[in-house]
Amino acid sequence: ALVLWRSSDCSMNAASDAVKFTDAPLEIRGYNTIHKLTYLQQRDLLPMRRHQAFGSLFLAGSDASGDFLALANDGANGLPQNVL
């Protein structure tokens, strides 16, 4: 349940994060997700960067060569994907 919540939360936070780094006025930052995406689109700021659009989910593991972190949502052929 936690992974599902976090996946949903990342998708909602993506637009907020992208708007924040455009130095948008505080009024824009208070908009809902759809309005934020519209704001970004009107300024040719879409598509968002990979980590903003899809979030980053890392899994810790270990194998014969030692411990590692793997990006779990890198998708097929390196194309990013949502976990949901």
Side-chain angles (χ1 to χ4, degrees):
L2 180 62
V3 171
L4 295 176
W5 170 82
R6 186 64 187 132
S7 298
S8 174
D9 188 52
C10 283
S11 65
M12 295 172 93
N13 289 340
S16 295
D17 188 51
V19 166
K20 177 182 174 184
F21 290 105
T22 65
D23 295 323
L26 289 177
E27 176 187 354
I28 303 297
R29 295 181 190 188
Y31 286 0
N32 67 34
T33 302
I34 298 299
H35 287 117
K36 288 176 184 175
L37 290 171
T38 302
Y39 175 85
L40 294 169
Q41 184 176 26
Q42 290 170 345
R43 284 152 186 79
D44 294 324
L45 296 172
L46 292 179
M48 289 184 268
R49 294 179 179 167
R50 185 212 173 284
H51 71 280
Q52 287 176 322
F54 297 96
S56 298
L57 178 63
F58 293 95
L59 301 176
S62 60
D63 59 14
S65 62
D67 296 336
F68 64 89
L69 288 176
L71 182 61
N73 60 331
D74 59 350
N77 301 319
L79 299 174
Q81 66 179 9
N82 286 315
V83 175
L84 299 177

